[in-house]
Structure formats: C-alpha cells, structure tokens
Amino acid sequence: MSSPALMEDLVEEILLRFPPHEPACLVRAALVCKRWCRFISGPGFRRRFRELHRTPPLLGFLYRSLIDSDGANLTRFVPTAAFCSPQVEIRSWRPLDARHGRVLFRSPLEISDLEELMVWDPITDEKRKLPIPPRNAFSWTAAVLCSGAGSCDHLDCHRGPFLVVFVGSDSVETFIYTYSSDAAAWSKPICIQDAEGRFYSLMRSPLVGNALYFGFSGTNKALKYDMELREMFWIQLPSTCSNLGLRVLTTTEDGRLGLVTADGNKIYMWSRKAGSNDAGWTQNRVIELERLLPSDSILTSPDVLCFAEGIHVIFVRSNNVLFTIDLKACKVKKVCKGKGIRAVVPYMNFYTPELGAACAVEEPSVGGSSA
C-alpha cells in the first residue's frame, strides 16, 4: 500500500490541475474533507496553482450603459466563471482599464465638481480614490498596472502597490503623468509636441514588455509609452485599416503589438513587425463572422469592443448582443444582451478559495475568498 504522505502528494498534484477558469471545482473539492480543505486554502497551494497555470482566467467583464434619459451611466459586472463580485453594479463611475487584478474607473462631473479616478479590487471590494493630475486636458484616458510591471510575475500582486498612467492632450501637446500608490502622488509630466491624440478612444491600452500603447480616434497613429525609459513615441497604424470600424490594440501570441478591427462581417487581425518605432505591420488573419455568429446577429455590421490580454479573446457587439470569440479555438459565446453596451473592460485574475473556518470544524462551511 502507498504511504499516506505519497497519497497526499498525489491528491495535491491532482487538485493543482483543476481548471483555473472554473473556481467552483476547487470550492467543491475543499468541502470533501478537512485535509483537502487545508491543501486548497493554504498559501503554498495558491502560489503553486498560479505558477502552474501562469495565465489568469477571465472571471468576468464590466460594461457601461445608459440608464436614464438625462444620460446617467451604470456600470455592471458580469461574471463569466463561478465568481461573484461583492459589487455587481456601480452607478456613474465609468470603467477605463483592468490589469493585474485591479479595475480603474473615472468619475463623471455629475458626482462632484472635480473628476477623480478610482482603483477597485473586485474580489476584496477594496476601493482607492485618487485625483486626476492638475493639468487641464482636452481629452484623456488612463491605464492601471502593478508597480513592478517589468520584474513582477503578476501571480499574486493585486494587493500590492500599483501605478496609474494618465495620458492627456490639449491644443498643443500630449502629456503623460504616472501615479504611484506608494508615494500617493503624481510624477512630473513628460510631453510630446504633437496634438495627434486630442480625441481619445475608449479602447484599452495593451502592455507589451515595458511599454503601454494608447490608441486614439481621429488619427491613424497610436502612442507608445516606454515606462522604463520614460519616453513616448507616435507609431503608425496600418494604412489599409484607416477607413474601417472600431479598432482595438491587442497583444499577439508571441508577445508583440497587435491590432483587431471589423469591417462589414469580417474581422481583420494585424501584428506589428519587430524592430524600431517605425516598424511596419503584417495582416495575418481574416475571420468570417457569418460562419461564427448566429444569423440573426449579423443584421448590422458587428463592432470589436475590446481584447482580453493573454487568453486571446475579443468582445464583439452586434444587434445589442455581446459575444466573446476565442481566437485560438474559434469558439463563440453569447455573454450579454442589452441596449447601449459600451466601454467593455475584461477582468482577469486567479480566484482560489480561502476556507480557514472550514478547516477547523468537522462540518465544513464555506468562508471568504481570496485571489
């Protein structure tokens, strides 16, 4: 007979291979007995679970819609896995970005005389508000990320320090401020004497290495911000996509900058060539939506709204229905329906149960949760 220690090792190895996008499986396994509960709720197991799977799963997404005739907004959190956020509706605050376990919002002027930003952890429901930089901007957007973006493995950093990168434009130049949660202050701005970005876009900002990329409407360029060098450059987007619909900057499977856009019932995908800041683009894929979406969903031309980094999933809206398309498997899933769906922001994170109370009693009961 196998020794008890060997059996425990085998059980843990099996539990580690449970799919991260189905956290309910771990919860059910933890309720089998106190020994399994101790495995799953321990910090060592959570760390090994993240190290094995590496890429965090899509737990849900946020989207903004109009709810009142006066233009008030409501942001909703829609789970795509067995995960329930403490807050599923956030009135007026508009989602901008999500990365490394955090979500970034901006407040509209109807909340207060001064606009604010808010960083939110959907698992712990912890919120932190911060003012926007003092300089007036004709238009602006922002991104959130872990403060150790260049050195952190991002397996368990959502409770640690973070950065917010603010990009604004006025009639003269485009400028960037960086907020550090450790210092609780904005950095001095860096500027570029070019007003290409005076009209901001709601597309998310992909992180490629140490660089954030910001896309802008009204121009066929994107802004590259090298966070290590604290330098920014304008890069040219593919000239052939200048007349197409909404454009979404992405990351490719090999870690380069990508671009996805829709025209008619087709999705076009580009990847940026490696090299200098003036490197060109290659169109490497065309997806026929008529073969993927239900026939009653393509009465109007679909729009690509956003991209989930790391898992290569795009969100497509057509006829007031929101779909996810897995670009690797070419699988489509209907995830939401409603009028006025916009500003979609995917939320990705690991979510494993923390069941300390269940480990201490004979009849286990589910306690809190931890990412």
Side-chain angles (χ1 to χ4, degrees):
M1 295 180 62
S2 301
S3 67
L6 178 60
M7 290 302 298
E8 289 188 3
D9 289 342
L10 290 176
V11 168
E12 186 171 6
E13 290 299 322
I14 293 172
L15 295 175
L16 284 170
R17 284 156 176 79
F18 277 26
H21 62 278
E22 297 180 4
C25 294
L26 284 175
V27 175
R28 289 193 291 266
L31 298 178
V32 170
C33 64
K34 289 190 292 183
R35 181 161 53 91
W36 287 21
C37 181
R38 283 193 295 269
F39 282 152
I40 295 171
S41 61
F45 177 86
R46 294 200 297 271
R47 181 69 187 183
R48 290 188 63 196
F49 188 81
R50 290 162 170 80
E51 289 176 344
L52 178 65
H53 296 284
R54 304 300 301 180
T55 303
L58 179 70
L59 294 184
F61 63 92
L62 300 101
Y63 75 92
R64 180 168 61 94
S65 62
L66 295 176
I67 58 171
D68 296 330
S69 58
D70 61 357
N73 295 280
L74 181 68
T75 293
R76 291 183 170 90
F77 183 92
V78 179
T80 55
F83 165 72
C84 183
S85 172
Q87 192 163 355
V88 295
E89 292 188 352
I90 303 175
R91 187 180 177 87
S92 295
W93 289 88
R94 296 189 288 175
L96 291 177
D97 190 34
R99 187 177 289 105
H100 304 154
R102 304 172 181 88
V103 181
L104 179 67
F105 294 88
R106 66 178 290 181
S107 68
L109 290 176
E110 59 259 27
I111 287 185
S112 63
D113 294 334
L114 297 176
E115 285 190 294
E116 295 178 298
L117 291 167
M118 180 174 68
V119 177
W120 175 52
D121 185 332
I123 293 178
T124 65
D125 203 27
E126 179 183 357
K127 301 181 180 71
R128 180 166 176 176
K129 294 182 180 179
L130 50 142
I132 65 172
R135 181 171 177 174
N136 291 328
F138 182 82
S139 61
W140 61 271
T141 188
V144 64
L145 66 158
C146 164
S147 63
S151 57
C152 182
D153 58 14
H154 307 303
L155 297 181
D156 195 20
C157 61
H158 72 108
R159 297 175 187 262
F162 62 85
L163 301 176
V164 173
V165 178
F166 178 101
V167 180
S169 295
D170 55 25
S171 59
V172 178
E173 60 189 4
T174 298
F175 47 89
I176 287 181
Y177 289 82
T178 301
Y179 179 90
S180 167
S181 64
D182 278 337
W186 291 98
S187 67
K188 293 182 179 180
I190 61 172
C191 307
I192 186 169
Q193 297 294 322
D194 192 318
E196 289 281 359
R198 66 179 61 177
F199 303 106
Y200 78 94
S201 171
L202 289 177
M203 72 176 71
R204 292 189 62 223
S205 307
L207 177 65
V208 182
N210 289 321
L212 276 169
Y213 291 84
F214 296 88
F216 295 84
S217 58
T219 177
N220 207 39
K221 293 183 178 180
L223 186 69
K224 175 184 177 181
Y225 174 48
D226 189 314
M227 293 183 292
E228 184 176 4
L229 300 177
R230 283 185 54 79
E231 295 177 347
M232 55 182 176
F233 315 89
W234 290 107
I235 64 171
Q236 188 71 39
L237 297 180
S239 58
T240 54
C241 74
S242 58
N243 296 322
L244 300 183
L246 291 176
R247 294 170 296 183
V248 175
L249 293 171
T250 67
T251 55
T252 63
E253 291 187 44
D254 57 359
R256 290 181 291 161
L257 181 66
L259 181 72
V260 177
T261 190
D263 182 33
N265 293 322
K266 295 181 180 180
I267 288 178
Y268 297 86
M269 301 180 63
W270 283 267
S271 61
R272 191 163 181 259
K273 298 176 182 177
S276 62
N277 291 319
D278 58 356
W281 293 78
T282 300
Q283 181 180 306
N284 46 28
R285 190 174 179 185
V286 179
I287 299 176
E288 299 279 353
L289 291 178
E290 291 181 343
R291 300 180 179 180
L292 294 178
L293 300 183
S295 58
D296 59 351
S297 298
I298 53 176
L299 299 177
T300 60
S301 297
D303 292 318
V304 180
L305 296 186
C306 69
F307 174 78
E309 293 181 41
I311 60 173
H312 303 287
V313 170
I314 59 174
F315 287 74
V316 175
R317 178 188 60 201
S318 183
N319 289 355
N320 296 321
V321 179
L322 189 65
F323 299 91
T324 57
I325 300 179
D326 186 324
L327 297 176
K328 287 185 176 181
C330 277
K331 292 183 178 180
V332 176
K333 183 178 180 181
K334 177 181 174 181
V335 293
C336 188
K337 182 177 182 180
K339 294 183 178 180
I341 296 175
R342 50 186 171 174
V344 176
V345 174
Y347 176 70
M348 300 172 61
N349 201 359
F350 285 105
Y351 178 71
T352 52
E354 187 175 279
L355 303 167
C359 298
V361 296
E362 289 295 331
E363 295 297 332
S365 59
V366 178
S369 299
S370 173

